Amino acid sequence: MNDPLGLINSGGAGGVDPLRALGPGARSAKNAASTDGPSFQETLLKELGAVNELQQQATQAVEDLAAGRRSDVETVIMATQQADTAFRMLLSVRNRVMEAYQEVQQMRV
């Protein structure tokens, strides 16, 4: 089979760069997917830390309310709801990641 654009192997058809043959958008798409931003692991760990911090703040607010060091019930309720919402979102992300992992496990190579 003839490779007129040089896309199958890098040495074919005069050594044409495959990304150059596809156009200027191909190289930028490859670079954008590389290391321009934080990795998924870094982002996930940062968000885990934020959820943990919200949980600790809510726990502290409830303890302060129970001990009488705090009298604003509305703020305590908002803190607990915010922590609950963040935890539910984290749980949803975890479930999606697990579903994706299970799909990858079932792929045939």
Side-chain angles (χ1 to χ4, degrees):
M1 173 180 218
N2 192 6
D3 182 22
L5 296 176
L7 297 176
I8 295 176
N9 56 14
S10 61
V16 176
D17 182 11
L19 293 176
R20 185 175 294 142
L22 291 174
R27 187 172 301 281
S28 63
K30 179 184 177 195
N31 290 340
S34 63
T35 60
D36 285 346
S39 69
F40 179 74
Q41 179 185 7
E42 292 169 350
T43 304
L44 187 61
L45 287 175
K46 184 179 86 170
E47 294 304 318
L48 277 170
V51 170
N52 186 36
E53 181 67 30
L54 287 171
Q55 291 283 343
Q56 289 176 352
Q57 289 174 359
T59 301
Q60 186 64 44
V62 168
E63 288 175 359
D64 287 349
L65 182 68
R69 292 185 294 262
R70 185 175 213 152
S71 61
D72 54 340
V73 178
E74 297 86 11
T75 308
V76 174
I77 291 172
M78 286 184 58
T80 56
Q81 286 179 344
Q82 189 176 16
D84 182 57
T85 302
F87 182 75
R88 287 176 190 255
M89 181 63 78
L90 181 66
L91 189 61
S92 176
V93 169
R94 177 237 177 234
N95 290 339
R96 293 286 180 124
V97 168
M98 291 303 296
E99 288 173 11
Y101 177 72
Q102 289 171 355
E103 278 187 39
V104 169
Q105 273 186 325
Q106 292 175 0
M107 286 182 183
R108 302 280 185 227
V109 179

